[in-house]
Amino acid sequence: MNETINNSNPCIDINECQFSPSICGPNSDCTNQLGSYSCSCSDGFTATNSNLPISINNICTVPSTPTTPSTPPPATVIGMSMTIDQTFERSLTDPDSKTFKDLSGKIESTIDASYSNKLTGYSTGSIKVSAFRPGSVIADYTISATSNNLDFGAANTQVFDSLKAKGINLVENAFAQSDQAVFTTDQLYPLQKVDLKCNRPDSAVGQIKWTMDNKDLAENTKYSFSIDKKTLTMLNASEDYSGRYSCIMQKNTIPYIQWQNIIIKRRPSIIVGENDRVFPCDGSSFQLICSVDVGYNLEWVLGGTVQISGSDSITLNYDTQIGNCTDQTFTFICRLKDLPQLQNYTYSYRSVTVRTSTEIYDCQNEELGAGKTNEQRTGVCGTGMKGTVTYKCESKAWKPLEDNCVLEVIDNLKNKLESLRVEEIPGFMANLSLATSENNVNITQSAATVQAIVDILFKIADLSQTFVIKKTVMESFLNTVDIIVSGNVSDTWKKLNTGNKTGDTSIKLLSAIENISDRLIDEFDIYETSIQLNRTTIKNSFALTSALPNSTTEIVIPQVPLETTITIIIFTTLDKVLPSQGTNDSRKSNVRINGDVVVVKVNKTLNNISFTFDITDQSLGNPQCVFWNFILNTWDSTGCEVKRNSTGNLTCECNHTTSFSILMSPFSIDHQALDIITYIGVAISMASLIICLIIETIIWKSVRRNDTSYMRHVSIVNIAVSLLIANICFIIGAAIAEQEQSPSPAHCSPVVFFMHFFYLALFFWMLLSALLLFYRTVMVLSQMSRTKMMVIAFIVGYGAPLLIAVITVASTAGPQNYISKSNACWLNWYESKALLGFVIPAFTIVAINLVVLIVVLYKMLRSGVGATTQPDEKHALVVIARCVAFLTPIFGLTWGFGIGTMVSRDFGIHVVFALLNSLQGFFILVFGTLLDSKVREALPGKQLLQKLSSSRTKTTSAGSSSTSGLPFLQRKGRRHVYHVSETNLSSAVTSSDSSSGSYAVVNT
């Protein structure tokens, strides 16, 4: 590996003695050392060759000593094996475990008693169990005897019966004499022809039989035998030929087995990238990168000459020549170093043809070479990664198109998996969990690495079918799963689930989880960030509630007919990993997995099990309770019934157990009419707002002399600007939602923030208009400067919305519940209630405005606005009152219907909301600008505007002008409010008009 060793990436010692008990051979003791191990012979044994280290190829035997006629014959150590009919569990690999000691103690005492009684020549007390291995459970043990020719028949029968009485059942033909042999001493590689030679003792009888991992071998395209069956030939060795090979014959009335663990190294994968490349002939250098699996060395060769050599990743820098070199072609070969016996196999080398050229190309790179637009090249992954990256020539540069790079540490573990034995699973899983935890950031960003981890987990689950899984192994397994299904890997899973080639990756993961769950023993609990496992024995009834964050999933089994052990695993993020449809699914494509995923495993049949799920996205409807059917490769609702309880959660009742969740469809109205209304309405709204702002720009100089008129126009301008920007954000958000099935927070959050801010600003400026009306009508004796009013207005109009928007983000962005999880860019409601940050201020302002309006109207109709109030100011106040009176209910109704669309699928409610929401800008133009006679009079071409809008002319009195549009105010005002002659009012208007400045700026 090329990774730097440091405090965060330390070296960890592996206990070879624990994970490979037979590593030193029989009659030996293994001692673990830091980074290594040592072997020594047990008392009474010596190495076969004292000049060589003790190993499986140099085993310990009883030393030969000269004998005299008076000396009894020496004891011979005989290797034996016995097959027990029970499931293998990991603790049997640890000689210090209680399980190992208990089982070996019972076997040793039983065999010693039986052999002492029934086996002539047996040395009492010599029985020793050396190891247990899978294949049910195979116990390897040794005995000492004064003869090699022993009759085990009666003795083994007694052992069989005695162990059965102790609760240990043996299989038929359970006993065998077993010796570790050396069939071959060569390091074996793929495609080689391999001969395994068995040494047949003179005392052996019967036909020789060969097995691999306890499976009989027959002559076929893989294997052939010599005539006497002593030699087994692998015709084309490959990784799956690795295993424990046994040569079996009969001796001493029981099978006699010679065996050796044979390992065929994994076929090396040499990666060089693009095989044909073009580089410019300008004297520059280019790079050739070659990578291979860890454990092999490489070298670059050109014309038979080695250019550079190194470990599993090497880079050759080569200089091109300047001049006429367009026809120059070089063939570089990257090959395995120091393995001449493999040179005839194509997997041992890769070639790269390099051509230099003076032609002009669009893209150029020292590794990828030159290319033209839309051409693709394959490159080698960078440091710490294994695999390839596909690039495409775009915009004068090579840009990544497809990344198939796997983190090197994960790739190395995947390679080791090819020859992994079941007893090595605990150590392997501990290493996988550690590697995943230490590299979680890199892993979650690499789809290829996630897929490689799923492949590893699937293989481990498959191997575990002959192995009992305890808590430590399952903790490592679920810790790894928790990392690759965490919330921040959702984008990576989107890549994996796009297209057909990796669509099965998530189902492969689910299958691995279910398969390994079948092999669990003991009772225990495991809690990860998004995974909860509970394994317990239940009687009568059972209930369990999720303890995971943001999850209240409940599993209830009302009646258990027989005592049984149950395993329940709850996943809160697997809904973002698994496909919502299978390959044979006839459901609509818009269904979603809308809750936790629960895996239930029991060793008895259950006919009634109830699940209560949290509904992740409340905007979805049409729920279905489903389980994943691996046969049909789809979600299936057979045997499950939907029941919704009073809390709004979803309750499912099923008559079987497996992997459960819920599917739901979008809770929305999909109607073309709504789209047409919205698009046309928003266009009219934005055009109206732009016209409003243009008109305000034209008449702006005319509103500066009267404070009330000036502040009214300031409010209208800011209302129009706020709504215009909010509409623009709405269009951007709609485009994002249309492109992404589930809008990502990174894309939607900025849009939602500004939409939230400017919609609030719209309401706060409406509030300021109402407060201005209240201030000028009720508090007539109070005076405030224009500057002070402007400062207060902008602090309230934009400061308050900004504060509310920021608080909303801060309180909901942490758990990623700021935006809606439905197909829309807007504030979240069902998970975090972020929408309250808009609803509460908006409807509070609506209520305040209505109260202010009532108070002001009462004041104006009963007591008047005061004799000292100027006519133009009276005009402005009436216009403000009318604007507030019309726009406040319109805005309130609009967002009232908006809330209605979230809880109802009634088409009429959606249509009304679409109309009101999309035409808000038009209402502002009409009631805020066009209905104000003073605005119309100030515009160029006012004669035409006056003819189009009303029959009134400039000779109309200020009193009648100020009350146009509100005739009831006009009549009441003349009797009770103004108390001045129309002549004076008319002259006031004429005077103000001649100065082109003094008039009230409110919608009339």
Side-chain angles (χ1 to χ4, degrees), residues 217-225 235:
L217 298 179
E219 192 160 358
N220 50 33
T221 56
K222 291 184 176 182
Y223 302 100
S224 66
F225 302 98
L235 301 178

Side-chain angles (χ1 to χ4, degrees), residues 902-918:
M902 300 177 65
V903 297
S904 173
R905 297 200 299 173
D906 184 82
F907 183 70
I909 293 177
H910 285 76
V911 170
V912 173
F913 174 71
L915 284 169
L916 293 176
N917 186 48
S918 58

Side-chain angles (χ1 to χ4, degrees), residues 596-891:
D596 294 346
V597 175
V598 180
V599 175
V600 180
K601 290 288 182 179
V602 293
N603 55 10
K604 296 285 190 305
T605 300
L606 293 179
N607 296 321
N608 188 4
I609 183 167
S610 172
F611 304 89
T612 300
F613 293 100
D614 282 328
I615 297 178
T616 305
D617 186 351
Q618 297 281 356
S619 68
L620 301 181
N622 303 321
Q624 303 174 59
C625 295
V626 292
F627 67 96
W628 186 262
N629 189 321
F630 286 96
I631 297 175
L632 299 178
N633 198 33
T634 189
W635 291 105
D636 190 352
S637 60
T638 304
C640 292
E641 181 182 358
V642 177
K643 290 188 177 180
R644 184 183 293 274
N645 63 21
S646 58
T647 62
N649 295 334
L650 194 69
T651 300
C652 300
E653 290 186 359
C654 301
N655 58 15
H656 55 85
T657 59
T658 181
S659 301
F660 295 94
S661 191
I662 52 175
L663 292 179
M664 300 180 74
S665 303
F667 188 72
S668 61
I669 302 297
D670 185 14
H671 201 287
Q672 188 175 6
L674 282 178
D675 294 337
I676 295 174
I677 292 172
T678 301
Y679 293 145
I680 295 177
V682 169
I684 294 174
S685 180
M686 295 182 68
S688 300
L689 292 170
I690 293 172
I691 293 172
C692 178
L693 293 174
I694 292 174
I695 291 174
E696 291 294 332
T697 302
I698 293 173
I699 57 94
W700 187 252
K701 292 183 180 179
S702 303
V703 301
R704 299 180 62 85
R705 295 185 181 181
N706 183 292
D707 287 348
T708 304
S709 172
Y710 179 79
M711 290 305 299
R712 186 191 87 82
H713 280 274
V714 168
S715 297
I716 287 297
V717 168
N718 282 281
I719 288 171
V721 168
S722 297
L723 184 56
L724 181 61
I725 297 176
N727 282 343
I728 293 172
C729 293
F730 171 82
I731 293 173
I732 296 173
I736 293 173
E738 186 174 357
Q739 292 295 324
E740 301 179 8
Q741 184 177 3
S742 180
S744 66
H747 296 158
C748 258
S749 294
V751 177
V752 172
F753 176 85
F754 285 107
M755 206 185 316
H756 183 202
F757 170 74
F758 283 106
Y759 273 133
L760 282 177
L762 165 71
F763 277 90
F764 273 92
W765 280 103
M766 281 296 301
L767 173 64
L768 288 167
S769 295
L771 294 178
L772 176 64
L773 177 65
F774 182 85
Y775 174 74
R776 287 303 194 188
T777 305
V778 178
M779 303 173 66
V780 292
L781 299 179
S782 177
Q783 294 295 325
M784 188 183 299
S785 66
R786 179 181 296 184
T787 301
K788 190 173 182 179
M789 285 192 292
M790 287 289 289
V791 171
I792 294 174
F794 276 88
I795 289 176
V796 175
Y798 290 115
L802 180 62
L803 181 63
I804 295 172
V806 170
I807 291 174
T808 304
V809 171
S811 61
T812 60
Q816 296 184 341
N817 287 329
Y818 175 58
I819 67 169
S820 173
K821 293 185 179 180
S822 60
N823 191 25
C825 277
W826 187 224
L827 294 169
N828 186 290
W829 171 249
Y830 292 104
E831 287 80 15
S832 65
K833 301 296 187 289
L835 186 58
L836 291 176
F838 172 77
V839 172
I840 291 176
F843 282 94
T844 301
I845 290 172
V846 169
I848 293 173
N849 282 11
L850 292 176
V851 172
V852 168
L853 185 63
I854 292 171
V855 172
V856 168
L857 287 177
Y858 179 83
K859 171 70 175 176
M860 293 178 68
L861 296 176
R862 183 175 180 84
S863 305
V865 294
T868 59
T869 305
Q870 296 297 319
D872 288 341
E873 191 162 301
K874 293 177 183 178
H875 169 87
L877 293 175
V878 172
V879 173
I880 293 174
R882 185 178 58 212
C883 185
V884 172
F886 279 93
L887 292 184
T888 296
I890 289 174
F891 289 165

